[in-house]
Amino acid sequence: MQKIILFTAIMLVAMVTKLNAQNNGSYKYVLDWSYWEPESPNYNMSFEKDSELLDQNIFTIKSIKSKIDGFGTLMKTVQSDSFKGKTVKMSGFVKTEKVKSWAGLWMRVDFYKAQVLAFDNMQNRGIKGTNDWMKYEIVLFVPEEATSISYGTLLDGTGQVWFKDITLDVVDNSLEETGSIKGRKNKTISFEKRAKAIADEIKSITDGEKKALKSEVEAVDQDLSKGLISKEKAEVLKLEKASVRAATIESKVAIEEAKLNQLIQDRVDGKLEDETSKNGGRMIMLGGSNTEIGKNQTEINIASLKVYDGNEDKKNRQSKRTTSQMVFAAGLNNVVTNDKVDKSDFRYLGSHFYELGVTYNSRILENDNLLHAKYGLSVMYNNLRPTDNRSFVVNGNQTDLVLNTKDLSDSRFRNVYLVAPVHLEFDFSGNKDSNGKPFFRTHNSFRLGVGGYAGINLKSKQILKYDDNNLNTTERLKGDFNTTDFIYGLSSYVGYKSTSLYLKYDLNPLFKDNAVKQNNVSLGLRFDFN
């Protein structure tokens, strides 16, 4: 009963859904090759005989306008049955003359008209200008779901291209794909998409045969009107042609119905997952995550500014030898005076630091996940809040912390730095996954980093807030305040997964020439978002 309901629903959808329209254009044929171009003729497409090898056809595409926005192509389409699960190499010889934009071979692996499974048109390595005969190749993997392979030669813009000896050969699966859409990275096609594609194909077969029959009947009627055949003969011919078309529809549709029946049976038997409900959709993450996602699920990681398209993509990118992270850190900030941080002139809980940056994490040893070089670029904000209603005053080359005559509600001294941190990181995430396979994902266990940083002071600012005749007043004073222009220091962190306890200490004094040297020190939490 469930099978009947599913089948009925699919057929109803097919009856009310139109096929996706292709770009407006026209198809014609040159021997066993078809060609497509926009409605307005832009190209001559034909074949020439080789003067030395009379049995060899050389096909050509030549522009007939001085300016063309678009392309023309000669192509073939074959069934993919004998190529499924295999790597296919398309090769051929191409010659060009005055190609202004680009030309090239192209190949596309399709699942009906619903999805392109693999594609390469050589656009990233297109043939330009004038070139003598040269052999070119395209390599694509053909997934099991494939229903057809289309291939050919195209000319974009103006010029002329010749091609010959186009072949498709099965090659070793170790050969790397050349395409912009790679067949080996193709995702599982959902049940709903497969069912709709098959139903659309059934409708396309029926509509195509009906259209062909209409043309044949019109041709018979024309012969009848010209007196070339009798009325009785015309009726017989119409019935014969209708019978042939009906038989064609029946045989082709039977193949697709068998596929549809098998698909539904696999779904009823639980062999197919509901990709849209179980593994589909989007997952929005605010922080770092090493959890798995569905095959067709998209993870949008806001903190790390990354989008993972399925679990395989996430796993591969997080296991690369060099990965990137967004870093955010925050905590308490103060100064060390005469090697001490107690009895500070600045509030312990009111003085803060913030850091925002991007880091790269490179595994030092190719097959060991323990040691990593971590380096990047960060912006640091160090804030100090003086105690006892004090603020900074510049006195020549000295910067003094003095009592302010106003009753301050807030006194804050901020320095903003651009620094390049470098750390040696010990990552104890291990070298293998739960199945014992080699695996080098980082930030999945305890981590320890030791290193330092160096950079420049971007700006210094003092912010004072007070009440002036019952008016809330804020003063923002910008200047160098005799602060050190170049900063450098030591830093370390220890933590679990993306969260660490973070300590950093400036080796340079806060102020260049002050009699009492004070060095900035910060302690807080650090988050490395993968």
Side-chain angles (χ1 to χ4, degrees), residues 272-287:
L272 293 176
E273 293 179 344
D274 184 352
E275 297 291 338
T276 57
S277 62
K278 185 172 182 179
N279 288 331
R282 289 180 174 86
M283 178 188 296
I284 299 177
M285 303 293 297
L286 295 177

Side-chain angles (χ1 to χ4, degrees), residues 2 6 191-192 262-274 277:
Q2 187 179 3
L6 283 169
F191 166 81
E192 290 78 7
Q262 185 61 53
L263 179 68
I264 295 171
Q265 188 62 56
D266 289 344
R267 174 65 181 277
V268 173
D269 294 341
K271 295 180 181 179
L272 293 176
E273 293 179 344
D274 184 352
S277 62

Side-chain angles (χ1 to χ4, degrees), residues 313-330:
D313 177 48
K314 181 177 180 180
K315 179 179 177 180
N316 290 339
R317 287 168 62 187
Q318 289 190 347
S319 300
K320 287 182 177 180
R321 190 163 183 177
T322 296
T323 59
S324 62
Q325 294 86 36
M326 290 290 295
V327 173
F328 174 72

Side-chain angles (χ1 to χ4, degrees), residues 395-415:
N395 182 16
N397 64 352
Q398 299 288 300
T399 301
D400 301 324
L401 188 62
V402 301
L403 183 68
N404 199 293
T405 58
K406 301 180 178 66
D407 185 13
L408 301 176
S409 60
D410 188 22
S411 174
R412 188 182 351 156
F413 185 59
R414 174 186 296 166
N415 287 281

